[in-house]
Amino acid sequence: MALPSKSAPCWLKLADGGVKRLKTTNLGVQMLAQRLELSPMSKADKAGEFFNFFTKWEKGLGNEIAQLASL
Amino acid sequence: MKSLSLPLCDAGRLNGLVALADAVALIQAGAPLAIAGRPEALAQLPQGRWIAGTTPYFMTAEGGQVIDATRVFVTDLSGLGGVSVGTYDADSLHLISEEAPENGFALAIIPFQSAVHERFAREASTYPQAFLKPTVGWIAGFDLAEAGGHALVYDGLTGTAHANRVAVMHVELPEEYLPQVEIVNLFEADGVDVIRFEEAGFAPAQVVVNGQSQLFADYVRGRGLADGRLPLVGDYAGARVNASIRAVEGDSVSLYAPVFPGINYAFARPVADYAAAFRDQLEATPHEGALWSCNCILNFLYGELEGKAIGGVAGPVTFGEIAYQLVNQTLVQLRAI
């Protein structure tokens, strides 16, 4: 499954608590999610962080990417 | 190098205890190495492409071992890609990930109880590149049976020992591989109380237990957990990250890793047989492409792992582990997949 574009709504959903619905055992995803939950960053910036992370590790995140559309 | 009789990891790469003379030969042959051992042994190594840290404790395929200064533990990182060696002070810790290769990882060794240890523990997850260029590694320690022990890390390029800098090897991976950081944590929340902290730190005075604030020392004693055998388990969006109890004295509790506000903690459920629990969890953990691993001194001691095999994973036994950030009482594994 292709990675959604940077403007896709799924990144803002992830940043707005949707990450809690993501089923993952990927340690990087989990620790990044925790960091962003506690961060004072804007939701748009958090969404950008998620997008950059998923872009970098796309090859290893097939399971997580498949869930993005249903968040 | 092929004539040496050396322990190999799954990927056919040297990852085990070797005689000091064999480590010297590997360094002189130009191999990039991550090394661990006693300071008396590490001080004898020639200059080269290596980093090291002190500990006499190791897990090997045959079981846990405490070694003397005639051997060191060597992880050979040859044949992967570009490798560089450096050290970082407390004000430049963010560069550990920033200066890592685009596709690769940073292997960091930090001296226990140093300013760089405390600062990295507090900050690591906030570094801008922390999750884009992963850092793994360990906290160097010492022989607990010797009085006055202190931890050192080494920059092999200059052969210099440091008590307050981080030794780092940046390792590039071939384009077709990704670094995968994984942890094996035997501990699960016991489900008794929800514990939160209002300030970050290694020595929180107060704790909020099920919404009620109280002295952390009183709470730990009241639960009968002042012996420190069971860590706090933090819920990091589903990942279990431990902060282990170091000491409870008077009104103070000190920890081996900081706790943070905004995270739900619980004390861990007891583990009856550490070796069996590790074997079970490691059986279910993929090892393909395993490059490096470490395990915690508290697991080694409380689990009485000396002489016990836990499933073939080999590496230094450490005073803290790094998987993106500092973790405790945890096995960390890095794979290239």
Side-chain angles (χ1 to χ4, degrees):
Chain A
M1 181 169 279
L3 189 71
S5 69
K6 191 168 185 178
S7 59
C10 62
W11 306 115
L12 267 174
K13 283 185 188 169
L14 267 185
D16 198 20
V19 72
K20 288 182 178 157
R21 294 189 292 278
L22 195 71
K23 291 185 181 129
T24 181
T25 57
N26 182 287
L27 185 65
V29 174
Q30 291 169 318
M31 286 188 165
L32 175 66
Q34 190 61 47
R35 165 186 155 181
L36 293 178
E37 188 181 327
L38 300 178
S39 167
M41 276 180 186
S42 69
K43 284 195 176 73
D45 286 345
K46 291 180 184 181
E49 291 257 338
F50 276 122
F51 176 76
N52 291 340
F53 180 89
F54 274 75
T55 300
K56 174 79 187 267
W57 306 116
E58 179 178 0
K59 230 165 45 171
L61 292 175
N63 173 49
E64 288 77 7
I65 291 168
Q67 298 175 57
L68 292 178
S70 58
L71 286 176
Chain B
M1 284 191 286
K2 294 207 168 169
S3 62
L4 301 175
S5 173
L6 301 172
L8 302 178
C9 72
D10 288 352
R13 198 178 302 283
L14 168 61
N15 186 54
L17 290 169
V18 302
L20 193 56
D22 288 341
V24 170
L26 287 161
I27 291 169
Q28 289 173 337
L33 307 176
I35 304 176
R38 287 183 181 267
E40 301 85 350
L42 300 177
Q44 296 181 54
L45 297 174
Q47 291 177 27
R49 291 197 303 161
W50 56 273
I51 59 169
T54 49
T55 179
Y57 308 102
F58 296 92
M59 289 311 300
T60 69
E62 296 75 34
Q65 295 191 43
V66 184
I67 66 164
D68 60 22
T70 64
R71 292 188 294 168
V72 290
F73 191 100
V74 169
T75 302
D76 183 359
L77 295 162
S78 299
L80 295 168
V83 168
S84 63
V85 168
T87 67
Y88 295 82
D89 65 13
D91 291 330
S92 60
L93 297 177
H94 61 287
L95 297 176
I96 294 173
S97 48
E98 281 183 42
E99 293 181 351
E102 278 304 317
N103 188 43
F105 59 91
L107 178 58
I109 311 177
I110 300 177
F112 180 60
Q113 273 192 303
S114 59
V116 285
H117 179 199
E118 174 154 358
R119 185 114 173 234
F120 183 89
R122 286 177 184 273
E123 295 178 352
S125 72
T126 67
Y127 297 145
Q129 300 286 308
F131 297 98
L132 297 176
K133 298 177 177 181
T135 300
V136 295
W138 56 286
I139 308 303
F142 44 82
D143 188 338
L144 294 165
E146 291 176 2
H150 63 281
L152 292 170
V153 303
Y154 294 76
D155 169 3
L157 284 183
T158 61
T160 311
H162 297 281
N164 194 25
R165 292 181 74 86
V166 183
V168 176
M169 182 169 275
H170 286 131
V171 182
E172 194 171 14
L173 291 176
E175 204 176 311
E176 64 272 27
Y177 288 97
L178 289 178
Q180 180 90 9
V181 182
E182 291 152 335
I183 59 174
V184 175
N185 183 358
L186 300 187
F187 297 98
E188 295 178 350
D190 65 1
V192 174
D193 293 316
V194 176
I195 300 168
R196 290 174 73 91
F197 297 91
E198 290 176 337
E199 290 181 10
F202 283 81
Q206 292 289 126
V207 65
V208 179
V209 180
N210 303 324
Q212 300 295 313
S213 182
Q214 60 182 282
L215 264 182
F216 189 31
D218 287 349
Y219 174 69
V220 176
R221 283 201 195 89
R223 291 283 314 272
L225 297 170
D227 64 4
R229 285 183 167 255
L230 296 175
L232 291 165
V233 183
D235 180 355
Y236 282 62
R240 301 192 312 275
V241 175
N242 302 335
S244 304
I245 305 286
R246 188 170 177 193
V248 182
E249 292 165 339
D251 286 347
S252 304
V253 179
S254 56
L255 304 168
Y256 281 106
V259 288
F260 296 94
I263 292 175
N264 287 340
Y265 293 89
F267 267 106
R269 203 171 276 150
V271 174
D273 182 338
Y274 283 57
F278 269 121
R279 281 194 295 271
D280 287 348
Q281 288 209 26
L282 287 168
E283 225 174 80
T285 304
H287 300 295
E288 182 195 357
L291 292 176
W292 175 89
S293 173
C294 70
N295 200 346
C296 181
I297 183 69
L298 299 178
N299 287 335
F300 188 88
L301 295 175
Y302 298 149
E304 299 174 343
L305 296 182
E306 187 171 356
K308 292 180 186 167
I310 61 167
V313 176
V317 170
T318 62
F319 285 50
E321 302 76 54
I322 301 167
Y324 299 104
Q325 63 185 62
L326 184 68
V327 298
N328 271 177
Q329 267 179 284
T330 299
L331 184 153
V332 176
Q333 175 177 263
L334 173 73
R335 296 189 299 135
I337 57 170

